[in-house]
Amino acid sequence: MTTSRRIGVNGETFDIYEILICEHCLILLANGECSDPLEHDTPEACPSPSDKWPEAESITLGRLDHAEMCGDTCEGDCGDYGFSQSSCEGCGDPLHGNRAYAVAWVPA
Ligand SMILES: [Zn+2]
Ligand SMILES: [Zn+2]
Ligand SMILES: [Zn+2]
């Protein structure tokens, strides 16, 4: 259920994709390193959203339009999607589990 849109930021045009990522990808994006450095001790062993989104200039955490979509009801936790049975859209991990929203910024 990837949603995409084309937007302009500071004179640059991006195709932005809202994706759902697993907890491993979330930690990787948030901390810059993996939650499992023993098993994932090489880049090949550590699947990353940037492998699946090689054209993305950056991948940011959270929803596309926090202000627009949440209104007054949001307490800033809209980045949490909850339990999903779909594969992670960041690393392709097919395990079911909690997912979080992220946005991939692909230069158009
Ligand atoms: Zn890893
Ligand atoms: Zn929100
Ligand atoms: Zn993942």
Side-chain angles (χ1 to χ4, degrees), residues 19-100:
I19 61 177
L20 291 172
I21 58 170
C22 69
E23 285 172 333
H24 169 262
C25 288
L26 178 67
I27 290 170
L28 194 61
L29 288 176
N31 297 343
E33 54 187 54
C34 174
S35 54
D36 191 358
L38 291 179
E39 268 194 61
H40 293 177
D41 56 350
T42 64
E44 294 76 39
C46 185
S48 143
S50 50
D51 299 337
K52 247 197 151 205
W53 296 88
E55 304 94 33
E57 189 173 289
S58 64
I59 298 172
T60 55
L61 298 174
R63 294 211 68 170
L64 214 63
D65 282 318
H66 169 72
E68 219 175 277
M69 297 201 285
C70 303
D72 297 335
T73 55
C74 179
E75 292 173 0
D77 54 0
C78 59
D80 297 328
Y81 176 80
F83 189 80
S84 168
Q85 299 185 349
S86 303
S87 302
C88 171
E89 293 177 299
C91 67
D93 190 335
L95 286 178
H96 303 172
N98 286 325
R99 299 284 185 263

